[in-house]
Amino acid sequence: MIKINEHYTEIGNNYLFAEIAKRVRDYKEIYPDKAVISLGIGDVTQAIVPVVIEAIHKATDEMANARTMRGYAPYEGYDFLVNAILKNDFLDRGISLEADEIFVSDGAKSDTGNIGDILSSNNRIAITDPAYPVYVDTNQMAGRIIELLPCTPANHFVPAFPEKIADVIYLCYPNNPTGTVLTKEQLEKWVDYALEHQSLILFDAAYEAYISQPDIPHSIYEIEGAKKTAIEFRSFSKTAGFTGMRAGYTVVPKELTAQTSKGEILSLNALWRRRQSTKFNGTAYIVQRGAEATYTQEGQKQIREVIAYYMENARIIQNGLENLGLTTYGGKNAPYIWVKTPHNLSSWEFFDLLLHKTQIVGTPGSGFGQAGEGFFRFTAFGNRENTLEAVERMKTL
Ligand code: MLT
């Protein structure tokens, strides 16, 4: 008889956003005429910018010609994209990295989920709570021991160090789901902790393009010593509207090492390369050309305009909620607004109330972890019309 991975029995039947989609489908079946507005999953709504579309068209035409077509992409990404990433995201910002420390992928979700492949299931894991569900789910799938680090208004959403020393620590800043950030000094303390305890920080910077304050780090490598202790994940999804196109990258510095049970020291960069070349066949050429175009001067201008559009939505939602007397967090350096539910409703009670009374979909905070209970997340990724309409409808609550 086939044996399953028993750990899957511990993680619930549905991934958070699959569960929400199911509940919304069920609602629409009963009320097909109701106009539902989704401010739930952080999925983009604005067109991919013209510079990127032009690059994709051009790359598609190359595929139509045997002389210029491309087959399998390099496992780590084409040089043209790796070099554009290296220059624009790191070297030009004063961070020294090398091209072979960058691994282009199909997005940060896959990479944050897959990174566990190269790490022992005996590692102790620390994860901020609430958190993007992929971190907890994938570590539970592997049977690792997890310590949650609550992030609530009581600690200003700054996680305390774990009670027991953690081997691996997940940090996501700007944070999904709370929209909060860590200052450079606060992040420095985590890098120091990791250096002292020889821990690995998995730093998810998928939302760095939304940072508006000058003192907030865009990359963990802005902190001295971080190359010895951190892997960083980046995404084109929220930066350039690639949620459906799929592109991101992961930085695994060559200075990063870990040990075998026999005490042998190995390079995580080499292990990740081995993992990716075995299990991943590269991001599509066409998509990589699109990602490359985001780094041109015109590309930067165009994607910044879309980001500003979403951040105006964030402002509208946050103001709307505050005007209703609700307490909100985030929304300034991230496209998420985290709100305390009214009347001490549970997160799912508020979800049901919003859906049934106003046909608005958000994400229950408890879906991101127990410290998210009593909170709710709205995304700024809707279109303007729906965002304004949602704020109007909420006045009827
Ligand atoms: C979210 O809503 O948290 C994100 O869109 C999910 C994701 O990036 O996979």
Side-chain angles (χ1 to χ4, degrees):
M1 193 64 184
I2 302 162
K3 315 271 186 312
I4 64 149
N5 174 350
E6 295 280 334
H7 300 302
Y8 275 67
T9 61
E10 293 150 25
I11 57 172
N13 286 342
N14 283 335
Y15 179 60
L16 172 62
F17 293 105
E19 175 65 29
I20 291 170
K22 182 184 163 299
R23 292 194 188 209
V24 174
R25 263 197 320 275
D26 292 348
Y27 177 83
K28 283 182 174 166
E29 237 168 63
I30 305 171
Y31 305 102
D33 299 333
K34 300 264 190 195
V36 174
I37 295 178
S38 176
L39 300 178
I41 190 165
D43 198 1
V44 294
T45 55
Q46 297 308 292
I48 291 173
V49 299
V51 164
V52 171
I53 295 296
E54 275 159 35
I56 292 170
H57 279 165
K58 188 161 164 271
T60 307
D61 288 341
E62 287 175 48
M63 291 302 216
N65 186 323
R67 279 197 326 278
T68 50
M69 69 82 62
R70 313 277 182 132
Y72 291 123
Y75 305 116
E76 302 87 358
Y78 283 102
D79 286 347
F80 62 78
L81 179 55
V82 169
N83 288 327
I85 290 168
L86 182 65
K87 177 177 184 315
N88 292 281
D89 288 347
F90 299 103
L91 301 183
D92 287 357
R93 291 169 179 237
I95 296 166
S96 74
L97 279 177
E98 288 174 26
D100 58 0
E101 296 177 305
I102 292 167
F103 295 82
V104 173
S105 71
D106 65 349
K109 180 179 185 180
S110 322
D111 285 3
T112 52
N114 290 331
I115 196 74
D117 272 17
I118 63 169
L119 302 170
S120 161
S121 45
N122 294 328
N123 285 304
R124 277 192 71 86
I125 311 296
I127 303 177
T128 54
D129 177 15
Y132 181 39
V134 171
Y135 315 151
V136 168
D137 286 5
T138 56
N139 278 291
Q140 284 186 332
M141 287 169 180
R144 295 196 183 92
I145 296 172
I146 301 170
E147 180 176 336
L148 295 172
L149 312 175
C151 296
T152 64
N155 61 9
H156 305 285
F157 299 95
V158 179
F161 295 134
E163 276 173 21
K164 288 200 180 159
I165 291 166
D167 304 304
V168 180
I169 301 146
Y170 286 77
L171 296 177
C172 170
Y173 289 99
N175 186 254
N176 178 14
T178 63
T180 58
V181 286
L182 289 188
T183 62
K184 195 160 183 208
E185 289 67 38
Q186 287 164 337
L187 191 55
E188 261 162 14
K189 291 195 178 126
W190 278 100
V191 170
D192 290 346
Y193 173 95
L195 287 169
E196 183 187 339
H197 299 292
Q198 296 190 302
S199 319
L200 171 66
I201 295 177
L202 298 176
F203 190 72
D204 186 349
Y207 298 93
E208 65 77 32
Y210 288 82
I211 293 172
S212 63
Q213 273 172 257
D215 56 334
I216 307 299
H218 287 248
S219 166
I220 196 165
Y221 305 120
E222 289 176 34
I223 315 274
E224 205 172 318
K227 280 204 279 179
K228 289 194 175 63
T229 204
I231 288 176
E232 180 164 300
F233 304 93
R234 294 280 190 106
S235 171
F236 290 94
S237 288
K238 312 300 158 61
T239 310
F242 276 45
T243 53
M245 301 233 289
R246 309 308 309 152
Y249 68 87
T250 290
V251 181
V252 190
K254 285 180 279 190
E255 291 170 47
L256 262 183
T257 56
Q259 62 177 353
T260 66
S261 54
K262 298 194 182 78
E264 194 187 349
I265 306 294
L266 296 181
S267 151
L268 288 182
N269 178 288
L271 290 184
W272 185 243
R273 188 176 309 282
R274 184 71 175 83
R275 191 265 169 213
Q276 288 297 82
S277 54
T278 306
K279 292 195 178 183
F280 178 64
N281 241 346
T283 304
Y285 171 69
I286 296 167
V287 172
Q288 292 197 50
R289 280 295 185 198
E292 179 195 23
T294 66
Y295 290 109
T296 59
Q297 215 182 356
E298 187 55 26
Q300 282 295 300
K301 184 172 159 278
Q302 292 177 2
I303 64 175
R304 299 278 4 144
E305 278 166 17
V306 179
I307 288 170
Y309 173 96
Y310 290 135
M311 289 311 280
E312 174 61 10
N313 284 349
R315 196 192 61 75
I316 291 168
I317 296 169
Q318 193 150 30
N319 272 0
L321 293 168
E322 296 269 337
N323 287 340
L324 293 176
L326 299 177
T327 307
T328 67
Y329 306 91
K332 303 280 188 289
N333 295 287
Y336 296 122
I337 293 103
W338 189 241
V339 57
K340 181 82 197 78
T341 60
H343 312 299
N344 284 326
L345 291 176
S346 76
S347 301
W348 279 108
E349 281 168 348
F350 189 57
F351 175 89
D352 286 333
L353 177 77
L354 262 191
L355 180 59
H356 287 267
K357 268 195 97 175
T358 66
Q359 291 76 50
I360 297 165
V361 179
T363 309
S366 57
F368 298 101
Q370 62 205 42
E373 181 56 279
F375 290 87
F376 204 76
R377 191 195 77 173
F378 289 101
T379 93
F381 289 116
N383 65 35
R384 182 62 43 76
E385 197 188 337
N386 281 348
T387 301
L388 289 167
E389 168 70 14
V391 168
E392 276 309 302
R393 286 190 198 175
M394 278 194 267
K395 290 182 184 161
T396 66
L397 267 183

mmCIF file of all heavy atoms in Angstrom, residues 15-17 39-44 108-110 131-134 176-177 204 206-207 235 237-238 243 246 336 363 368 377 379 381, ligand 1:
data_model
loop_
_atom_site.group_PDB
_atom_site.id
_atom_site.type_symbol
_atom_site.label_atom_id
_atom_site.label_comp_id
_atom_site.label_asym_id
_atom_site.label_seq_id
_atom_site.Cartn_x
_atom_site.Cartn_y
_atom_site.Cartn_z
ATOM 1 N N TYR A 15 -4.684 25.348 1.138
ATOM 2 C CA TYR A 15 -3.813 26.512 1.213
ATOM 3 C C TYR A 15 -4.720 27.717 1.433
ATOM 4 O O TYR A 15 -5.833 27.786 0.893
ATOM 5 C CB TYR A 15 -3.054 26.616 -0.114
ATOM 6 C CG TYR A 15 -2.118 27.788 -0.221
ATOM 7 C CD1 TYR A 15 -1.064 27.951 0.669
ATOM 8 C CD2 TYR A 15 -2.276 28.748 -1.219
ATOM 9 C CE1 TYR A 15 -0.202 29.020 0.569
ATOM 10 C CE2 TYR A 15 -1.418 29.827 -1.331
ATOM 11 C CZ TYR A 15 -0.383 29.961 -0.433
ATOM 12 O OH TYR A 15 0.471 31.030 -0.530
ATOM 13 N N LEU A 16 -4.283 28.692 2.245
ATOM 14 C CA LEU A 16 -5.151 29.801 2.646
ATOM 15 C C LEU A 16 -5.914 30.419 1.475
ATOM 16 O O LEU A 16 -7.136 30.576 1.516
ATOM 17 C CB LEU A 16 -4.319 30.876 3.369
ATOM 18 C CG LEU A 16 -5.048 32.188 3.684
ATOM 19 C CD1 LEU A 16 -6.222 31.968 4.633
ATOM 20 C CD2 LEU A 16 -4.066 33.201 4.268
ATOM 21 N N PHE A 17 -5.183 30.760 0.399
ATOM 22 C CA PHE A 17 -5.857 31.494 -0.679
ATOM 23 C C PHE A 17 -6.749 30.575 -1.517
ATOM 24 O O PHE A 17 -7.692 31.039 -2.160
ATOM 25 C CB PHE A 17 -4.833 32.252 -1.537
ATOM 26 C CG PHE A 17 -4.179 33.354 -0.750
ATOM 27 C CD1 PHE A 17 -2.874 33.225 -0.277
ATOM 28 C CD2 PHE A 17 -4.884 34.496 -0.420
ATOM 29 C CE1 PHE A 17 -2.283 34.221 0.487
ATOM 30 C CE2 PHE A 17 -4.309 35.503 0.345
ATOM 31 C CZ PHE A 17 -3.008 35.365 0.798
ATOM 32 N N LEU A 39 -10.463 42.199 -2.471
ATOM 33 C CA LEU A 39 -9.261 42.843 -1.932
ATOM 34 C C LEU A 39 -8.570 41.795 -1.056
ATOM 35 O O LEU A 39 -8.041 42.078 0.006
ATOM 36 C CB LEU A 39 -9.631 44.088 -1.120
ATOM 37 C CG LEU A 39 -10.388 45.187 -1.888
ATOM 38 C CD1 LEU A 39 -10.731 46.346 -0.964
ATOM 39 C CD2 LEU A 39 -9.566 45.706 -3.068
ATOM 40 N N GLY A 40 -8.646 40.552 -1.539
ATOM 41 C CA GLY A 40 -8.146 39.420 -0.771
ATOM 42 C C GLY A 40 -6.728 39.062 -1.157
ATOM 43 O O GLY A 40 -5.769 39.652 -0.652
ATOM 44 N N ILE A 41 -6.578 38.114 -2.080
ATOM 45 C CA ILE A 41 -5.221 37.722 -2.487
ATOM 46 C C ILE A 41 -4.535 38.924 -3.132
ATOM 47 O O ILE A 41 -5.175 39.729 -3.805
ATOM 48 C CB ILE A 41 -5.243 36.502 -3.442
ATOM 49 C CG1 ILE A 41 -3.825 35.967 -3.654
ATOM 50 C CG2 ILE A 41 -5.904 36.834 -4.769
ATOM 51 C CD1 ILE A 41 -3.764 34.585 -4.278
ATOM 52 N N GLY A 42 -3.242 39.033 -2.888
ATOM 53 C CA GLY A 42 -2.487 40.147 -3.449
ATOM 54 C C GLY A 42 -2.175 39.928 -4.912
ATOM 55 O O GLY A 42 -1.022 39.742 -5.280
ATOM 56 N N ASP A 43 -3.227 39.954 -5.743
ATOM 57 C CA ASP A 43 -2.973 39.760 -7.177
ATOM 58 C C ASP A 43 -3.169 41.073 -7.908
ATOM 59 O O ASP A 43 -4.129 41.809 -7.650
ATOM 60 C CB ASP A 43 -3.930 38.700 -7.742
ATOM 61 C CG ASP A 43 -3.419 38.166 -9.076
ATOM 62 O OD1 ASP A 43 -2.329 38.605 -9.521
ATOM 63 O OD2 ASP A 43 -4.094 37.317 -9.672
ATOM 64 N N VAL A 44 -2.260 41.336 -8.845
ATOM 65 C CA VAL A 44 -2.258 42.626 -9.532
ATOM 66 C C VAL A 44 -3.442 42.737 -10.490
ATOM 67 O O VAL A 44 -3.963 41.729 -10.972
ATOM 68 C CB VAL A 44 -0.933 42.830 -10.299
ATOM 69 C CG1 VAL A 44 0.214 42.930 -9.320
ATOM 70 C CG2 VAL A 44 -0.691 41.709 -11.302
ATOM 71 N N ALA A 108 9.091 34.009 -6.008
ATOM 72 C CA ALA A 108 9.520 33.852 -4.620
ATOM 73 C C ALA A 108 8.705 32.794 -3.877
ATOM 74 O O ALA A 108 9.177 32.222 -2.909
ATOM 75 C CB ALA A 108 9.431 35.195 -3.890
ATOM 76 N N LYS A 109 7.476 32.553 -4.340
ATOM 77 C CA LYS A 109 6.694 31.519 -3.658
ATOM 78 C C LYS A 109 7.391 30.169 -3.793
ATOM 79 O O LYS A 109 7.595 29.458 -2.804
ATOM 80 C CB LYS A 109 5.285 31.439 -4.250
ATOM 81 C CG LYS A 109 4.435 30.366 -3.577
ATOM 82 C CD LYS A 109 3.033 30.321 -4.152
ATOM 83 C CE LYS A 109 2.169 29.330 -3.378
ATOM 84 N NZ LYS A 109 0.805 29.253 -3.912
ATOM 85 N N SER A 110 7.757 29.818 -5.028
ATOM 86 C CA SER A 110 8.435 28.536 -5.235
ATOM 87 C C SER A 110 9.735 28.475 -4.454
ATOM 88 O O SER A 110 10.039 27.469 -3.808
ATOM 89 C CB SER A 110 8.770 28.320 -6.716
ATOM 90 O OG SER A 110 7.757 28.787 -7.531
ATOM 91 N N ALA A 131 2.375 35.252 9.196
ATOM 92 C CA ALA A 131 3.349 35.162 8.104
ATOM 93 C C ALA A 131 2.676 34.631 6.839
ATOM 94 O O ALA A 131 1.614 33.999 6.898
ATOM 95 C CB ALA A 131 4.491 34.230 8.482
ATOM 96 N N TYR A 132 3.321 34.898 5.731
ATOM 97 C CA TYR A 132 2.943 34.304 4.436
ATOM 98 C C TYR A 132 2.877 32.779 4.663
ATOM 99 O O TYR A 132 3.858 32.190 5.145
ATOM 100 C CB TYR A 132 4.032 34.691 3.436
ATOM 101 C CG TYR A 132 3.875 34.230 2.022
ATOM 102 C CD1 TYR A 132 2.632 34.215 1.383
ATOM 103 C CD2 TYR A 132 4.999 33.843 1.292
ATOM 104 C CE1 TYR A 132 2.524 33.811 0.066
ATOM 105 C CE2 TYR A 132 4.892 33.450 -0.025
ATOM 106 C CZ TYR A 132 3.648 33.425 -0.643
ATOM 107 O OH TYR A 132 3.549 33.032 -1.946
ATOM 108 N N PRO A 133 1.750 32.143 4.384
ATOM 109 C CA PRO A 133 1.541 30.753 4.818
ATOM 110 C C PRO A 133 2.524 29.731 4.254
ATOM 111 O O PRO A 133 2.678 28.645 4.824
ATOM 112 C CB PRO A 133 0.115 30.434 4.352
ATOM 113 C CG PRO A 133 -0.419 31.625 3.666
ATOM 114 C CD PRO A 133 0.548 32.746 3.764
ATOM 115 N N VAL A 134 3.194 30.079 3.183
ATOM 116 C CA VAL A 134 4.137 29.140 2.560
ATOM 117 C C VAL A 134 5.248 28.716 3.539
ATOM 118 O O VAL A 134 5.672 27.560 3.548
ATOM 119 C CB VAL A 134 4.751 29.773 1.282
ATOM 120 C CG1 VAL A 134 5.887 28.943 0.722
ATOM 121 C CG2 VAL A 134 3.665 29.985 0.235
ATOM 122 N N ASN A 176 4.448 40.873 4.629
ATOM 123 C CA ASN A 176 3.171 40.312 4.253
ATOM 124 C C ASN A 176 2.806 39.386 5.415
ATOM 125 O O ASN A 176 3.598 38.497 5.722
ATOM 126 C CB ASN A 176 3.311 39.504 2.956
ATOM 127 C CG ASN A 176 2.008 38.856 2.550
ATOM 128 O OD1 ASN A 176 0.955 39.191 3.065
ATOM 129 N ND2 ASN A 176 2.099 37.911 1.614
ATOM 130 N N PRO A 177 1.713 39.568 6.117
ATOM 131 C CA PRO A 177 0.533 40.370 5.773
ATOM 132 C C PRO A 177 0.394 41.720 6.467
ATOM 133 O O PRO A 177 -0.518 42.460 6.108
ATOM 134 C CB PRO A 177 -0.592 39.467 6.280
ATOM 135 C CG PRO A 177 -0.024 38.876 7.545
ATOM 136 C CD PRO A 177 1.439 38.659 7.246
ATOM 137 N N ASP A 204 12.680 37.435 2.853
ATOM 138 C CA ASP A 204 11.768 37.589 1.722
ATOM 139 C C ASP A 204 11.531 39.078 1.497
ATOM 140 O O ASP A 204 10.863 39.741 2.294
ATOM 141 C CB ASP A 204 10.456 36.852 2.039
ATOM 142 C CG ASP A 204 9.495 36.836 0.870
ATOM 143 O OD1 ASP A 204 9.730 37.569 -0.115
ATOM 144 O OD2 ASP A 204 8.493 36.087 0.941
ATOM 145 N N ALA A 206 10.064 40.437 -1.242
ATOM 146 C CA ALA A 206 9.192 40.515 -2.423
ATOM 147 C C ALA A 206 8.530 41.884 -2.582
ATOM 148 O O ALA A 206 8.138 42.262 -3.678
ATOM 149 C CB ALA A 206 8.113 39.432 -2.340
ATOM 150 N N TYR A 207 8.423 42.639 -1.462
ATOM 151 C CA TYR A 207 7.686 43.912 -1.520
ATOM 152 C C TYR A 207 8.598 45.123 -1.410
ATOM 153 O O TYR A 207 8.131 46.227 -1.143
ATOM 154 C CB TYR A 207 6.614 43.928 -0.411
ATOM 155 C CG TYR A 207 5.612 42.809 -0.615
ATOM 156 C CD1 TYR A 207 5.777 41.568 -0.001
ATOM 157 C CD2 TYR A 207 4.540 42.972 -1.473
ATOM 158 C CE1 TYR A 207 4.886 40.528 -0.226
ATOM 159 C CE2 TYR A 207 3.645 41.943 -1.715
ATOM 160 C CZ TYR A 207 3.821 40.725 -1.087
ATOM 161 O OH TYR A 207 2.933 39.703 -1.328
ATOM 162 N N SER A 235 11.050 39.217 -6.113
ATOM 163 C CA SER A 235 9.983 38.823 -7.025
ATOM 164 C C SER A 235 9.672 39.937 -8.009
ATOM 165 O O SER A 235 9.722 41.113 -7.644
ATOM 166 C CB SER A 235 8.739 38.516 -6.200
ATOM 167 O OG SER A 235 7.632 38.334 -7.025
ATOM 168 N N SER A 237 6.686 39.826 -9.303
ATOM 169 C CA SER A 237 5.220 39.772 -9.270
ATOM 170 C C SER A 237 4.612 41.099 -8.876
ATOM 171 O O SER A 237 3.770 41.646 -9.582
ATOM 172 C CB SER A 237 4.751 38.714 -8.274
ATOM 173 O OG SER A 237 4.988 37.431 -8.775
ATOM 174 N N LYS A 238 5.011 41.606 -7.728
ATOM 175 C CA LYS A 238 4.390 42.812 -7.210
ATOM 176 C C LYS A 238 5.132 44.043 -7.702
ATOM 177 O O LYS A 238 4.591 45.130 -7.726
ATOM 178 C CB LYS A 238 4.357 42.775 -5.674
ATOM 179 C CG LYS A 238 3.830 41.461 -5.094
ATOM 180 C CD LYS A 238 2.411 41.143 -5.513
ATOM 181 C CE LYS A 238 2.048 39.675 -5.404
ATOM 182 N NZ LYS A 238 2.104 39.039 -4.121
ATOM 183 N N THR A 243 2.545 38.445 -11.647
ATOM 184 C CA THR A 243 1.951 37.323 -10.906
ATOM 185 C C THR A 243 1.572 36.169 -11.830
ATOM 186 O O THR A 243 1.689 35.007 -11.459
ATOM 187 C CB THR A 243 0.713 37.764 -10.087
ATOM 188 O OG1 THR A 243 -0.189 38.427 -10.963
ATOM 189 C CG2 THR A 243 1.085 38.691 -8.946
ATOM 190 N N ARG A 246 5.284 34.888 -13.909
ATOM 191 C CA ARG A 246 6.181 34.125 -13.057
ATOM 192 C C ARG A 246 7.665 34.440 -13.282
ATOM 193 O O ARG A 246 8.298 33.902 -14.192
ATOM 194 C CB ARG A 246 5.973 32.603 -13.186
ATOM 195 C CG ARG A 246 4.569 32.099 -13.037
ATOM 196 C CD ARG A 246 3.886 32.585 -11.790
ATOM 197 N NE ARG A 246 4.673 32.372 -10.588
ATOM 198 C CZ ARG A 246 4.564 33.162 -9.498
ATOM 199 N NH1 ARG A 246 3.738 34.186 -9.476
ATOM 200 N NH2 ARG A 246 5.304 32.911 -8.450
ATOM 201 N N TYR A 336 -0.184 46.349 1.659
ATOM 202 C CA TYR A 336 -1.157 45.680 2.524
ATOM 203 C C TYR A 336 -1.545 46.563 3.697
ATOM 204 O O TYR A 336 -0.691 47.235 4.285
ATOM 205 C CB TYR A 336 -0.579 44.359 3.065
ATOM 206 C CG TYR A 336 -0.316 43.349 1.969
ATOM 207 C CD1 TYR A 336 0.961 42.826 1.770
ATOM 208 C CD2 TYR A 336 -1.344 42.934 1.129
ATOM 209 C CE1 TYR A 336 1.198 41.905 0.754
ATOM 210 C CE2 TYR A 336 -1.116 42.014 0.112
ATOM 211 C CZ TYR A 336 0.161 41.504 -0.071
ATOM 212 O OH TYR A 336 0.388 40.612 -1.077
ATOM 213 N N THR A 363 -8.693 39.144 3.484
ATOM 214 C CA THR A 363 -8.061 37.914 3.969
ATOM 215 C C THR A 363 -8.056 37.907 5.499
ATOM 216 O O THR A 363 -7.545 38.846 6.120
ATOM 217 C CB THR A 363 -6.613 37.809 3.448
ATOM 218 O OG1 THR A 363 -6.628 38.017 2.035
ATOM 219 C CG2 THR A 363 -6.028 36.439 3.729
ATOM 220 N N PHE A 368 -3.058 33.667 8.507
ATOM 221 C CA PHE A 368 -1.603 33.852 8.444
ATOM 222 C C PHE A 368 -0.925 33.402 9.736
ATOM 223 O O PHE A 368 0.274 33.568 9.891
ATOM 224 C CB PHE A 368 -1.272 35.333 8.208
ATOM 225 C CG PHE A 368 -1.780 35.894 6.908
ATOM 226 C CD1 PHE A 368 -2.931 36.664 6.859
ATOM 227 C CD2 PHE A 368 -1.100 35.661 5.717
ATOM 228 C CE1 PHE A 368 -3.391 37.199 5.672
ATOM 229 C CE2 PHE A 368 -1.549 36.203 4.527
ATOM 230 C CZ PHE A 368 -2.702 36.962 4.494
ATOM 231 N N ARG A 377 -6.707 41.458 6.588
ATOM 232 C CA ARG A 377 -5.803 42.116 5.631
ATOM 233 C C ARG A 377 -6.549 42.552 4.374
ATOM 234 O O ARG A 377 -7.305 41.772 3.800
ATOM 235 C CB ARG A 377 -4.669 41.160 5.237
ATOM 236 C CG ARG A 377 -3.553 41.846 4.459
ATOM 237 C CD ARG A 377 -2.627 40.848 3.771
ATOM 238 N NE ARG A 377 -3.240 40.308 2.575
ATOM 239 C CZ ARG A 377 -2.623 39.518 1.698
ATOM 240 N NH1 ARG A 377 -1.368 39.158 1.915
ATOM 241 N NH2 ARG A 377 -3.242 39.077 0.635
ATOM 242 N N THR A 379 -5.776 44.229 0.467
ATOM 243 C CA THR A 379 -4.674 44.538 -0.444
ATOM 244 C C THR A 379 -4.999 45.789 -1.250
ATOM 245 O O THR A 379 -6.167 46.107 -1.490
ATOM 246 C CB THR A 379 -4.351 43.424 -1.464
ATOM 247 O OG1 THR A 379 -5.076 43.684 -2.671
ATOM 248 C CG2 THR A 379 -4.672 42.056 -0.950
ATOM 249 N N PHE A 381 -4.056 46.077 -4.324
ATOM 250 C CA PHE A 381 -3.851 45.713 -5.730
ATOM 251 C C PHE A 381 -5.118 45.752 -6.587
ATOM 252 O O PHE A 381 -5.102 45.308 -7.726
ATOM 253 C CB PHE A 381 -3.216 44.321 -5.827
ATOM 254 C CG PHE A 381 -1.783 44.286 -5.373
ATOM 255 C CD1 PHE A 381 -1.403 43.550 -4.258
ATOM 256 C CD2 PHE A 381 -0.811 44.997 -6.060
ATOM 257 C CE1 PHE A 381 -0.084 43.518 -3.840
ATOM 258 C CE2 PHE A 381 0.511 44.971 -5.646
ATOM 259 C CZ PHE A 381 0.879 44.226 -4.537
HETATM 260 C C1 MLT B 1 -0.725 37.251 -0.937
HETATM 261 O O1 MLT B 1 -1.855 37.654 -1.172
HETATM 262 O O2 MLT B 1 -0.274 37.114 0.199
HETATM 263 C C2 MLT B 1 0.151 36.935 -2.088
HETATM 264 O O3 MLT B 1 -0.387 37.409 -3.251
HETATM 265 C C3 MLT B 1 0.313 35.517 -2.255
HETATM 266 C C4 MLT B 1 1.521 35.236 -3.074
HETATM 267 O O4 MLT B 1 2.320 36.118 -3.362
HETATM 268 O O5 MLT B 1 1.687 34.059 -3.397
#
